[in-house]
Amino acid sequence: MNSKLKMMIGVVAILLVGGGAAGGAMWWMKSQEAAPGAQSTAKAAPKKEKSGEPVKYVTLDKVIVMLKRGPNEATTHYLSTDLVLATDAKGEKPTKEHLPLLRAIAVRSLSGYTLAQASTMTVEQVAALLNKTFDANYASEEREKPFGEVMIGKLIVE
């Protein structure tokens, strides 16, 4: 009888410690979400307000970039991507007119990476890099960007 009581007390103690640890972990995760730094990174890229207009997609195909050679690399490596630009009906024509500029900006932005750096980047990271680069370019020229965001349709690193 004494060993059964000790066993039950041990199980209850383990359950209490486990529940306390789970509760503490949840509290810590909630406090990290409410931290000021977490909020600023979550809302780093404000998007255009949604309107009742349908979204139009403009493609920029075959952006081919020769990657920078790393130390002790003799071969040439390339990155190829297809970009998809989300816009509205009003911004569709200006976006199509800006495609040569956007290609040049994308090539300039991506050509500074080596094969090792480019192959470790995810599709989301490349899209975020291009969005940031396009935002900076339009801001420096003090022009309004005719599209909302850049998405990656295809990404090949060789």
PDB file of all heavy atoms in Angstrom, residues 27-68:
ATOM      1  N   TRP A  27       3.412  31.223 -21.707  1.00  0.00           N
ATOM      2  CA  TRP A  27       3.511  32.610 -21.229  1.00  0.00           C
ATOM      3  C   TRP A  27       4.704  33.311 -21.879  1.00  0.00           C
ATOM      4  O   TRP A  27       4.593  34.445 -22.317  1.00  0.00           O
ATOM      5  CB  TRP A  27       3.656  32.612 -19.703  1.00  0.00           C
ATOM      6  CG  TRP A  27       3.980  33.964 -19.156  1.00  0.00           C
ATOM      7  CD1 TRP A  27       3.120  34.993 -18.931  1.00  0.00           C
ATOM      8  CD2 TRP A  27       5.280  34.439 -18.796  1.00  0.00           C
ATOM      9  NE1 TRP A  27       3.796  36.073 -18.448  1.00  0.00           N
ATOM     10  CE2 TRP A  27       5.130  35.773 -18.355  1.00  0.00           C
ATOM     11  CE3 TRP A  27       6.546  33.883 -18.802  1.00  0.00           C
ATOM     12  CZ2 TRP A  27       6.205  36.535 -17.931  1.00  0.00           C
ATOM     13  CZ3 TRP A  27       7.607  34.657 -18.381  1.00  0.00           C
ATOM     14  CH2 TRP A  27       7.425  35.972 -17.950  1.00  0.00           C
ATOM     15  N   TRP A  28       5.848  32.604 -21.964  1.00  0.00           N
ATOM     16  CA  TRP A  28       7.042  33.198 -22.555  1.00  0.00           C
ATOM     17  C   TRP A  28       6.820  33.493 -24.038  1.00  0.00           C
ATOM     18  O   TRP A  28       7.201  34.542 -24.528  1.00  0.00           O
ATOM     19  CB  TRP A  28       8.232  32.262 -22.362  1.00  0.00           C
ATOM     20  CG  TRP A  28       9.510  32.843 -22.892  1.00  0.00           C
ATOM     21  CD1 TRP A  28      10.301  33.769 -22.288  1.00  0.00           C
ATOM     22  CD2 TRP A  28      10.118  32.562 -24.144  1.00  0.00           C
ATOM     23  NE1 TRP A  28      11.376  34.072 -23.086  1.00  0.00           N
ATOM     24  CE2 TRP A  28      11.283  33.346 -24.239  1.00  0.00           C
ATOM     25  CE3 TRP A  28       9.790  31.719 -25.193  1.00  0.00           C
ATOM     26  CZ2 TRP A  28      12.110  33.312 -25.345  1.00  0.00           C
ATOM     27  CZ3 TRP A  28      10.626  31.686 -26.297  1.00  0.00           C
ATOM     28  CH2 TRP A  28      11.770  32.474 -26.353  1.00  0.00           C
ATOM     29  N   MET A  29       6.178  32.566 -24.759  1.00  0.00           N
ATOM     30  CA  MET A  29       5.924  32.782 -26.184  1.00  0.00           C
ATOM     31  C   MET A  29       4.980  33.957 -26.404  1.00  0.00           C
ATOM     32  O   MET A  29       5.172  34.760 -27.321  1.00  0.00           O
ATOM     33  CB  MET A  29       5.362  31.508 -26.826  1.00  0.00           C
ATOM     34  CG  MET A  29       6.416  30.418 -26.969  1.00  0.00           C
ATOM     35  SD  MET A  29       5.787  28.819 -27.510  1.00  0.00           S
ATOM     36  CE  MET A  29       4.957  29.219 -29.001  1.00  0.00           C
ATOM     37  N   LYS A  30       3.970  34.092 -25.564  1.00  0.00           N
ATOM     38  CA  LYS A  30       3.042  35.227 -25.675  1.00  0.00           C
ATOM     39  C   LYS A  30       3.759  36.540 -25.373  1.00  0.00           C
ATOM     40  O   LYS A  30       3.493  37.552 -26.005  1.00  0.00           O
ATOM     41  CB  LYS A  30       1.848  35.061 -24.720  1.00  0.00           C
ATOM     42  CG  LYS A  30       0.846  34.057 -25.176  1.00  0.00           C
ATOM     43  CD  LYS A  30       0.116  34.602 -26.380  1.00  0.00           C
ATOM     44  CE  LYS A  30      -1.039  33.688 -26.726  1.00  0.00           C
ATOM     45  NZ  LYS A  30      -1.719  34.121 -27.918  1.00  0.00           N
ATOM     46  N   SER A  31       4.656  36.539 -24.401  1.00  0.00           N
ATOM     47  CA  SER A  31       5.368  37.770 -24.074  1.00  0.00           C
ATOM     48  C   SER A  31       6.331  38.157 -25.194  1.00  0.00           C
ATOM     49  O   SER A  31       6.558  39.337 -25.427  1.00  0.00           O
ATOM     50  CB  SER A  31       6.131  37.624 -22.754  1.00  0.00           C
ATOM     51  OG  SER A  31       7.203  36.714 -22.889  1.00  0.00           O
ATOM     52  N   GLN A  32       6.878  37.176 -25.938  1.00  0.00           N
ATOM     53  CA  GLN A  32       7.754  37.476 -27.062  1.00  0.00           C
ATOM     54  C   GLN A  32       6.970  38.071 -28.225  1.00  0.00           C
ATOM     55  O   GLN A  32       7.458  38.928 -28.939  1.00  0.00           O
ATOM     56  CB  GLN A  32       8.495  36.223 -27.528  1.00  0.00           C
ATOM     57  CG  GLN A  32       9.509  35.713 -26.546  1.00  0.00           C
ATOM     58  CD  GLN A  32      10.594  36.735 -26.272  1.00  0.00           C
ATOM     59  OE1 GLN A  32      11.138  37.324 -27.182  1.00  0.00           O
ATOM     60  NE2 GLN A  32      10.887  36.960 -25.005  1.00  0.00           N
ATOM     61  N   GLU A  33       5.731  37.630 -28.433  1.00  0.00           N
ATOM     62  CA  GLU A  33       4.892  38.191 -29.485  1.00  0.00           C
ATOM     63  C   GLU A  33       4.542  39.639 -29.179  1.00  0.00           C
ATOM     64  O   GLU A  33       4.416  40.455 -30.067  1.00  0.00           O
ATOM     65  CB  GLU A  33       3.607  37.383 -29.633  1.00  0.00           C
ATOM     66  CG  GLU A  33       3.807  36.040 -30.279  1.00  0.00           C
ATOM     67  CD  GLU A  33       2.523  35.244 -30.334  1.00  0.00           C
ATOM     68  OE1 GLU A  33       1.459  35.790 -29.993  1.00  0.00           O
ATOM     69  OE2 GLU A  33       2.581  34.078 -30.727  1.00  0.00           O
ATOM     70  N   ALA A  34       4.384  39.965 -27.925  1.00  0.00           N
ATOM     71  CA  ALA A  34       3.987  41.314 -27.539  1.00  0.00           C
ATOM     72  C   ALA A  34       5.176  42.256 -27.411  1.00  0.00           C
ATOM     73  O   ALA A  34       5.003  43.440 -27.188  1.00  0.00           O
ATOM     74  CB  ALA A  34       3.233  41.268 -26.206  1.00  0.00           C
ATOM     75  N   ALA A  35       6.401  41.736 -27.556  1.00  0.00           N
ATOM     76  CA  ALA A  35       7.586  42.578 -27.441  1.00  0.00           C
ATOM     77  C   ALA A  35       7.629  43.595 -28.580  1.00  0.00           C
ATOM     78  O   ALA A  35       7.210  43.298 -29.686  1.00  0.00           O
ATOM     79  CB  ALA A  35       8.846  41.716 -27.466  1.00  0.00           C
ATOM     80  N   PRO A  36       8.144  44.797 -28.336  1.00  0.00           N
ATOM     81  CA  PRO A  36       8.165  45.808 -29.386  1.00  0.00           C
ATOM     82  C   PRO A  36       8.965  45.405 -30.614  1.00  0.00           C
ATOM     83  O   PRO A  36       8.605  45.713 -31.727  1.00  0.00           O
ATOM     84  CB  PRO A  36       8.807  47.021 -28.714  1.00  0.00           C
ATOM     85  CG  PRO A  36       8.817  46.749 -27.262  1.00  0.00           C
ATOM     86  CD  PRO A  36       8.651  45.283 -27.078  1.00  0.00           C
ATOM     87  N   GLY A  37      10.059  44.693 -30.456  1.00  0.00           N
ATOM     88  CA  GLY A  37      10.868  44.266 -31.590  1.00  0.00           C
ATOM     89  C   GLY A  37      10.146  43.265 -32.464  1.00  0.00           C
ATOM     90  O   GLY A  37      10.267  43.273 -33.677  1.00  0.00           O
ATOM     91  N   ALA A  38       9.382  42.381 -31.856  1.00  0.00           N
ATOM     92  CA  ALA A  38       8.653  41.381 -32.622  1.00  0.00           C
ATOM     93  C   ALA A  38       7.566  42.032 -33.461  1.00  0.00           C
ATOM     94  O   ALA A  38       7.294  41.607 -34.570  1.00  0.00           O
ATOM     95  CB  ALA A  38       8.044  40.341 -31.683  1.00  0.00           C
ATOM     96  N   GLN A  39       6.948  43.046 -32.932  1.00  0.00           N
ATOM     97  CA  GLN A  39       5.876  43.707 -33.660  1.00  0.00           C
ATOM     98  C   GLN A  39       6.420  44.469 -34.855  1.00  0.00           C
ATOM     99  O   GLN A  39       5.823  44.470 -35.917  1.00  0.00           O
ATOM    100  CB  GLN A  39       5.127  44.658 -32.732  1.00  0.00           C
ATOM    101  CG  GLN A  39       3.842  45.197 -33.332  1.00  0.00           C
ATOM    102  CD  GLN A  39       3.084  46.036 -32.344  1.00  0.00           C
ATOM    103  OE1 GLN A  39       3.644  46.536 -31.386  1.00  0.00           O
ATOM    104  NE2 GLN A  39       1.803  46.177 -32.585  1.00  0.00           N
ATOM    105  N   SER A  40       7.579  45.090 -34.713  1.00  0.00           N
ATOM    106  CA  SER A  40       8.137  45.852 -35.826  1.00  0.00           C
ATOM    107  C   SER A  40       8.622  44.936 -36.938  1.00  0.00           C
ATOM    108  O   SER A  40       8.530  45.286 -38.100  1.00  0.00           O
ATOM    109  CB  SER A  40       9.271  46.755 -35.351  1.00  0.00           C
ATOM    110  OG  SER A  40      10.344  45.969 -34.897  1.00  0.00           O
ATOM    111  N   THR A  41       9.129  43.739 -36.625  1.00  0.00           N
ATOM    112  CA  THR A  41       9.561  42.839 -37.684  1.00  0.00           C
ATOM    113  C   THR A  41       8.371  42.201 -38.374  1.00  0.00           C
ATOM    114  O   THR A  41       8.428  41.915 -39.555  1.00  0.00           O
ATOM    115  CB  THR A  41      10.480  41.733 -37.135  1.00  0.00           C
ATOM    116  OG1 THR A  41       9.804  41.029 -36.099  1.00  0.00           O
ATOM    117  CG2 THR A  41      11.781  42.305 -36.621  1.00  0.00           C
ATOM    118  N   ALA A  42       7.296  41.977 -37.644  1.00  0.00           N
ATOM    119  CA  ALA A  42       6.117  41.387 -38.259  1.00  0.00           C
ATOM    120  C   ALA A  42       5.454  42.364 -39.221  1.00  0.00           C
ATOM    121  O   ALA A  42       4.838  41.956 -40.197  1.00  0.00           O
ATOM    122  CB  ALA A  42       5.118  40.949 -37.189  1.00  0.00           C
ATOM    123  N   LYS A  43       5.565  43.648 -38.978  1.00  0.00           N
ATOM    124  CA  LYS A  43       4.935  44.649 -39.821  1.00  0.00           C
ATOM    125  C   LYS A  43       5.978  45.486 -40.546  1.00  0.00           C
ATOM    126  O   LYS A  43       5.790  46.667 -40.755  1.00  0.00           O
ATOM    127  CB  LYS A  43       4.037  45.552 -38.979  1.00  0.00           C
ATOM    128  CG  LYS A  43       2.872  44.812 -38.365  1.00  0.00           C
ATOM    129  CD  LYS A  43       1.957  45.736 -37.627  1.00  0.00           C
ATOM    130  CE  LYS A  43       0.801  44.970 -37.023  1.00  0.00           C
ATOM    131  NZ  LYS A  43      -0.130  45.820 -36.339  1.00  0.00           N
ATOM    132  N   ALA A  44       7.076  44.863 -40.951  1.00  0.00           N
ATOM    133  CA  ALA A  44       8.166  45.603 -41.587  1.00  0.00           C
ATOM    134  C   ALA A  44       7.786  46.094 -42.976  1.00  0.00           C
ATOM    135  O   ALA A  44       8.173  47.169 -43.367  1.00  0.00           O
ATOM    136  CB  ALA A  44       9.410  44.731 -41.658  1.00  0.00           C
ATOM    137  N   ALA A  45       7.054  45.298 -43.718  1.00  0.00           N
ATOM    138  CA  ALA A  45       6.716  45.682 -45.085  1.00  0.00           C
ATOM    139  C   ALA A  45       5.213  45.937 -45.197  1.00  0.00           C
ATOM    140  O   ALA A  45       4.438  45.004 -45.343  1.00  0.00           O
ATOM    141  CB  ALA A  45       7.121  44.584 -46.047  1.00  0.00           C
ATOM    142  N   PRO A  46       4.788  47.194 -45.100  1.00  0.00           N
ATOM    143  CA  PRO A  46       3.375  47.462 -45.231  1.00  0.00           C
ATOM    144  C   PRO A  46       2.920  47.203 -46.656  1.00  0.00           C
ATOM    145  O   PRO A  46       3.605  47.547 -47.619  1.00  0.00           O
ATOM    146  CB  PRO A  46       3.255  48.947 -44.874  1.00  0.00           C
ATOM    147  CG  PRO A  46       4.593  49.507 -45.148  1.00  0.00           C
ATOM    148  CD  PRO A  46       5.562  48.403 -44.891  1.00  0.00           C
ATOM    149  N   LYS A  47       1.785  46.587 -46.799  1.00  0.00           N
ATOM    150  CA  LYS A  47       1.262  46.275 -48.117  1.00  0.00           C
ATOM    151  C   LYS A  47       0.182  47.283 -48.471  1.00  0.00           C
ATOM    152  O   LYS A  47      -0.383  47.941 -47.613  1.00  0.00           O
ATOM    153  CB  LYS A  47       0.686  44.863 -48.127  1.00  0.00           C
ATOM    154  CG  LYS A  47       1.761  43.821 -47.895  1.00  0.00           C
ATOM    155  CD  LYS A  47       1.242  42.451 -48.143  1.00  0.00           C
ATOM    156  CE  LYS A  47       2.364  41.462 -47.945  1.00  0.00           C
ATOM    157  NZ  LYS A  47       1.998  40.132 -48.279  1.00  0.00           N
ATOM    158  N   LYS A  48      -0.093  47.347 -49.761  1.00  0.00           N
ATOM    159  CA  LYS A  48      -1.136  48.253 -50.212  1.00  0.00           C
ATOM    160  C   LYS A  48      -2.472  47.802 -49.641  1.00  0.00           C
ATOM    161  O   LYS A  48      -2.723  46.615 -49.468  1.00  0.00           O
ATOM    162  CB  LYS A  48      -1.222  48.253 -51.741  1.00  0.00           C
ATOM    163  CG  LYS A  48      -0.100  48.988 -52.410  1.00  0.00           C
ATOM    164  CD  LYS A  48      -0.389  49.078 -53.885  1.00  0.00           C
ATOM    165  CE  LYS A  48       0.643  49.934 -54.575  1.00  0.00           C
ATOM    166  NZ  LYS A  48       0.372  50.018 -56.011  1.00  0.00           N
ATOM    167  N   GLU A  49      -3.325  48.782 -49.373  1.00  0.00           N
ATOM    168  CA  GLU A  49      -4.646  48.450 -48.873  1.00  0.00           C
ATOM    169  C   GLU A  49      -5.415  47.708 -49.955  1.00  0.00           C
ATOM    170  O   GLU A  49      -5.315  48.020 -51.133  1.00  0.00           O
ATOM    171  CB  GLU A  49      -5.389  49.725 -48.478  1.00  0.00           C
ATOM    172  CG  GLU A  49      -4.795  50.414 -47.282  1.00  0.00           C
ATOM    173  CD  GLU A  49      -5.600  51.655 -46.911  1.00  0.00           C
ATOM    174  OE1 GLU A  49      -6.786  51.717 -47.271  1.00  0.00           O
ATOM    175  OE2 GLU A  49      -5.033  52.532 -46.276  1.00  0.00           O
ATOM    176  N   LYS A  50      -6.204  46.751 -49.531  1.00  0.00           N
ATOM    177  CA  LYS A  50      -6.970  45.979 -50.486  1.00  0.00           C
ATOM    178  C   LYS A  50      -8.149  46.810 -50.958  1.00  0.00           C
ATOM    179  O   LYS A  50      -8.868  47.413 -50.181  1.00  0.00           O
ATOM    180  CB  LYS A  50      -7.460  44.679 -49.848  1.00  0.00           C
ATOM    181  CG  LYS A  50      -6.335  43.754 -49.519  1.00  0.00           C
ATOM    182  CD  LYS A  50      -6.830  42.366 -49.361  1.00  0.00           C
ATOM    183  CE  LYS A  50      -5.639  41.483 -49.099  1.00  0.00           C
ATOM    184  NZ  LYS A  50      -5.863  40.134 -49.454  1.00  0.00           N
ATOM    185  N   SER A  51      -8.304  46.831 -52.256  1.00  0.00           N
ATOM    186  CA  SER A  51      -9.438  47.527 -52.830  1.00  0.00           C
ATOM    187  C   SER A  51     -10.362  46.489 -53.441  1.00  0.00           C
ATOM    188  O   SER A  51     -10.061  45.309 -53.482  1.00  0.00           O
ATOM    189  CB  SER A  51      -8.952  48.529 -53.887  1.00  0.00           C
ATOM    190  OG  SER A  51      -8.308  47.830 -54.934  1.00  0.00           O
ATOM    191  N   GLY A  52     -11.467  46.944 -53.934  1.00  0.00           N
ATOM    192  CA  GLY A  52     -12.425  46.030 -54.540  1.00  0.00           C
ATOM    193  C   GLY A  52     -11.995  45.567 -55.915  1.00  0.00           C
ATOM    194  O   GLY A  52     -12.619  44.705 -56.511  1.00  0.00           O
ATOM    195  N   GLU A  53     -10.913  46.149 -56.459  1.00  0.00           N
ATOM    196  CA  GLU A  53     -10.453  45.793 -57.792  1.00  0.00           C
ATOM    197  C   GLU A  53      -9.742  44.442 -57.774  1.00  0.00           C
ATOM    198  O   GLU A  53      -9.054  44.103 -56.816  1.00  0.00           O
ATOM    199  CB  GLU A  53      -9.490  46.861 -58.317  1.00  0.00           C
ATOM    200  CG  GLU A  53     -10.117  48.217 -58.473  1.00  0.00           C
ATOM    201  CD  GLU A  53      -9.130  49.244 -58.983  1.00  0.00           C
ATOM    202  OE1 GLU A  53      -8.168  48.859 -59.678  1.00  0.00           O
ATOM    203  OE2 GLU A  53      -9.320  50.419 -58.678  1.00  0.00           O
ATOM    204  N   PRO A  54      -9.873  43.688 -58.863  1.00  0.00           N
ATOM    205  CA  PRO A  54      -9.159  42.409 -58.926  1.00  0.00           C
ATOM    206  C   PRO A  54      -7.661  42.631 -59.082  1.00  0.00           C
ATOM    207  O   PRO A  54      -7.219  43.625 -59.645  1.00  0.00           O
ATOM    208  CB  PRO A  54      -9.746  41.734 -60.168  1.00  0.00           C
ATOM    209  CG  PRO A  54     -10.275  42.850 -61.002  1.00  0.00           C
ATOM    210  CD  PRO A  54     -10.696  43.927 -60.039  1.00  0.00           C
ATOM    211  N   VAL A  55      -6.895  41.686 -58.593  1.00  0.00           N
ATOM    212  CA  VAL A  55      -5.443  41.766 -58.670  1.00  0.00           C
ATOM    213  C   VAL A  55      -5.003  41.289 -60.048  1.00  0.00           C
ATOM    214  O   VAL A  55      -5.486  40.275 -60.558  1.00  0.00           O
ATOM    215  CB  VAL A  55      -4.793  40.900 -57.573  1.00  0.00           C
ATOM    216  CG1 VAL A  55      -3.282  40.918 -57.680  1.00  0.00           C
ATOM    217  CG2 VAL A  55      -5.229  41.369 -56.206  1.00  0.00           C
ATOM    218  N   LYS A  56      -4.086  42.025 -60.644  1.00  0.00           N
ATOM    219  CA  LYS A  56      -3.488  41.651 -61.928  1.00  0.00           C
ATOM    220  C   LYS A  56      -2.057  41.207 -61.663  1.00  0.00           C
ATOM    221  O   LYS A  56      -1.403  41.726 -60.763  1.00  0.00           O
ATOM    222  CB  LYS A  56      -3.471  42.843 -62.894  1.00  0.00           C
ATOM    223  CG  LYS A  56      -4.814  43.416 -63.202  1.00  0.00           C
ATOM    224  CD  LYS A  56      -5.522  42.558 -64.200  1.00  0.00           C
ATOM    225  CE  LYS A  56      -6.810  43.248 -64.627  1.00  0.00           C
ATOM    226  NZ  LYS A  56      -7.414  42.588 -65.754  1.00  0.00           N
ATOM    227  N   TYR A  57      -1.583  40.259 -62.450  1.00  0.00           N
ATOM    228  CA  TYR A  57      -0.235  39.757 -62.291  1.00  0.00           C
ATOM    229  C   TYR A  57       0.545  39.971 -63.584  1.00  0.00           C
ATOM    230  O   TYR A  57       0.097  39.590 -64.662  1.00  0.00           O
ATOM    231  CB  TYR A  57      -0.242  38.274 -61.919  1.00  0.00           C
ATOM    232  CG  TYR A  57      -0.912  38.022 -60.597  1.00  0.00           C
ATOM    233  CD1 TYR A  57      -2.216  37.561 -60.533  1.00  0.00           C
ATOM    234  CD2 TYR A  57      -0.243  38.271 -59.408  1.00  0.00           C
ATOM    235  CE1 TYR A  57      -2.841  37.353 -59.312  1.00  0.00           C
ATOM    236  CE2 TYR A  57      -0.860  38.064 -58.187  1.00  0.00           C
ATOM    237  CZ  TYR A  57      -2.158  37.601 -58.152  1.00  0.00           C
ATOM    238  OH  TYR A  57      -2.767  37.392 -56.950  1.00  0.00           O
ATOM    239  N   VAL A  58       1.692  40.605 -63.460  1.00  0.00           N
ATOM    240  CA  VAL A  58       2.576  40.860 -64.597  1.00  0.00           C
ATOM    241  C   VAL A  58       3.824  40.015 -64.366  1.00  0.00           C
ATOM    242  O   VAL A  58       4.410  40.045 -63.284  1.00  0.00           O
ATOM    243  CB  VAL A  58       2.936  42.357 -64.689  1.00  0.00           C
ATOM    244  CG1 VAL A  58       3.892  42.612 -65.837  1.00  0.00           C
ATOM    245  CG2 VAL A  58       1.679  43.209 -64.824  1.00  0.00           C
ATOM    246  N   THR A  59       4.238  39.267 -65.392  1.00  0.00           N
ATOM    247  CA  THR A  59       5.405  38.400 -65.231  1.00  0.00           C
ATOM    248  C   THR A  59       6.639  39.019 -65.871  1.00  0.00           C
ATOM    249  O   THR A  59       6.553  39.704 -66.881  1.00  0.00           O
ATOM    250  CB  THR A  59       5.162  37.011 -65.853  1.00  0.00           C
ATOM    251  OG1 THR A  59       4.894  37.166 -67.243  1.00  0.00           O
ATOM    252  CG2 THR A  59       4.013  36.300 -65.180  1.00  0.00           C
ATOM    253  N   LEU A  60       7.747  38.769 -65.252  1.00  0.00           N
ATOM    254  CA  LEU A  60       9.053  39.135 -65.773  1.00  0.00           C
ATOM    255  C   LEU A  60       9.845  37.835 -65.848  1.00  0.00           C
ATOM    256  O   LEU A  60      10.377  37.348 -64.844  1.00  0.00           O
ATOM    257  CB  LEU A  60       9.740  40.157 -64.859  1.00  0.00           C
ATOM    258  CG  LEU A  60      11.150  40.592 -65.223  1.00  0.00           C
ATOM    259  CD1 LEU A  60      11.190  41.162 -66.638  1.00  0.00           C
ATOM    260  CD2 LEU A  60      11.647  41.630 -64.239  1.00  0.00           C
ATOM    261  N   ASP A  61       9.867  37.240 -67.040  1.00  0.00           N
ATOM    262  CA  ASP A  61      10.456  35.916 -67.224  1.00  0.00           C
ATOM    263  C   ASP A  61      11.952  35.983 -67.482  1.00  0.00           C
ATOM    264  O   ASP A  61      12.472  36.972 -67.992  1.00  0.00           O
ATOM    265  CB  ASP A  61       9.791  35.197 -68.402  1.00  0.00           C
ATOM    266  CG  ASP A  61       8.326  34.886 -68.134  1.00  0.00           C
ATOM    267  OD1 ASP A  61       7.976  34.705 -66.956  1.00  0.00           O
ATOM    268  OD2 ASP A  61       7.546  34.832 -69.097  1.00  0.00           O
ATOM    269  N   LYS A  62      12.611  34.902 -67.140  1.00  0.00           N
ATOM    270  CA  LYS A  62      14.011  34.640 -67.477  1.00  0.00           C
ATOM    271  C   LYS A  62      14.968  35.741 -67.061  1.00  0.00           C
ATOM    272  O   LYS A  62      15.692  36.294 -67.881  1.00  0.00           O
ATOM    273  CB  LYS A  62      14.139  34.352 -68.963  1.00  0.00           C
ATOM    274  CG  LYS A  62      13.395  33.108 -69.373  1.00  0.00           C
ATOM    275  CD  LYS A  62      13.535  32.853 -70.852  1.00  0.00           C
ATOM    276  CE  LYS A  62      12.698  31.650 -71.210  1.00  0.00           C
ATOM    277  NZ  LYS A  62      12.075  31.766 -72.488  1.00  0.00           N
ATOM    278  N   VAL A  63      14.972  36.048 -65.792  1.00  0.00           N
ATOM    279  CA  VAL A  63      15.998  36.933 -65.254  1.00  0.00           C
ATOM    280  C   VAL A  63      17.173  36.021 -64.907  1.00  0.00           C
ATOM    281  O   VAL A  63      17.109  35.236 -63.967  1.00  0.00           O
ATOM    282  CB  VAL A  63      15.494  37.691 -64.001  1.00  0.00           C
ATOM    283  CG1 VAL A  63      16.599  38.553 -63.430  1.00  0.00           C
ATOM    284  CG2 VAL A  63      14.273  38.521 -64.332  1.00  0.00           C
ATOM    285  N   ILE A  64      18.223  36.111 -65.704  1.00  0.00           N
ATOM    286  CA  ILE A  64      19.384  35.235 -65.537  1.00  0.00           C
ATOM    287  C   ILE A  64      20.549  36.072 -65.030  1.00  0.00           C
ATOM    288  O   ILE A  64      20.875  37.105 -65.614  1.00  0.00           O
ATOM    289  CB  ILE A  64      19.745  34.526 -66.850  1.00  0.00           C
ATOM    290  CG1 ILE A  64      18.551  33.679 -67.309  1.00  0.00           C
ATOM    291  CG2 ILE A  64      20.988  33.661 -66.680  1.00  0.00           C
ATOM    292  CD1 ILE A  64      18.704  33.091 -68.684  1.00  0.00           C
ATOM    293  N   VAL A  65      21.148  35.612 -63.946  1.00  0.00           N
ATOM    294  CA  VAL A  65      22.211  36.360 -63.273  1.00  0.00           C
ATOM    295  C   VAL A  65      23.436  35.465 -63.163  1.00  0.00           C
ATOM    296  O   VAL A  65      23.342  34.313 -62.720  1.00  0.00           O
ATOM    297  CB  VAL A  65      21.757  36.786 -61.860  1.00  0.00           C
ATOM    298  CG1 VAL A  65      22.854  37.531 -61.147  1.00  0.00           C
ATOM    299  CG2 VAL A  65      20.490  37.603 -61.925  1.00  0.00           C
ATOM    300  N   MET A  66      24.601  35.988 -63.545  1.00  0.00           N
ATOM    301  CA  MET A  66      25.844  35.273 -63.319  1.00  0.00           C
ATOM    302  C   MET A  66      26.296  35.598 -61.898  1.00  0.00           C
ATOM    303  O   MET A  66      26.483  36.766 -61.552  1.00  0.00           O
ATOM    304  CB  MET A  66      26.929  35.693 -64.318  1.00  0.00           C
ATOM    305  CG  MET A  66      28.190  34.862 -64.185  1.00  0.00           C
ATOM    306  SD  MET A  66      29.368  35.126 -65.519  1.00  0.00           S
ATOM    307  CE  MET A  66      30.053  36.693 -65.046  1.00  0.00           C
ATOM    308  N   LEU A  67      26.430  34.563 -61.081  1.00  0.00           N
ATOM    309  CA  LEU A  67      26.799  34.759 -59.682  1.00  0.00           C
ATOM    310  C   LEU A  67      28.293  35.061 -59.560  1.00  0.00           C
ATOM    311  O   LEU A  67      29.100  34.656 -60.395  1.00  0.00           O
ATOM    312  CB  LEU A  67      26.441  33.518 -58.873  1.00  0.00           C
ATOM    313  CG  LEU A  67      24.946  33.193 -58.804  1.00  0.00           C
ATOM    314  CD1 LEU A  67      24.737  31.832 -58.152  1.00  0.00           C
ATOM    315  CD2 LEU A  67      24.196  34.264 -58.048  1.00  0.00           C
ATOM    316  N   LYS A  68      28.622  35.754 -58.499  1.00  0.00           N
ATOM    317  CA  LYS A  68      30.014  36.094 -58.213  1.00  0.00           C
ATOM    318  C   LYS A  68      30.779  34.812 -57.873  1.00  0.00           C
ATOM    319  O   LYS A  68      30.246  33.930 -57.203  1.00  0.00           O
ATOM    320  CB  LYS A  68      30.030  37.076 -57.030  1.00  0.00           C
ATOM    321  CG  LYS A  68      31.350  37.716 -56.764  1.00  0.00           C
ATOM    322  CD  LYS A  68      31.210  38.860 -55.782  1.00  0.00           C
ATOM    323  CE  LYS A  68      30.878  38.353 -54.403  1.00  0.00           C
ATOM    324  NZ  LYS A  68      30.947  39.380 -53.382  1.00  0.00           N
TER     325      LYS A  68
END
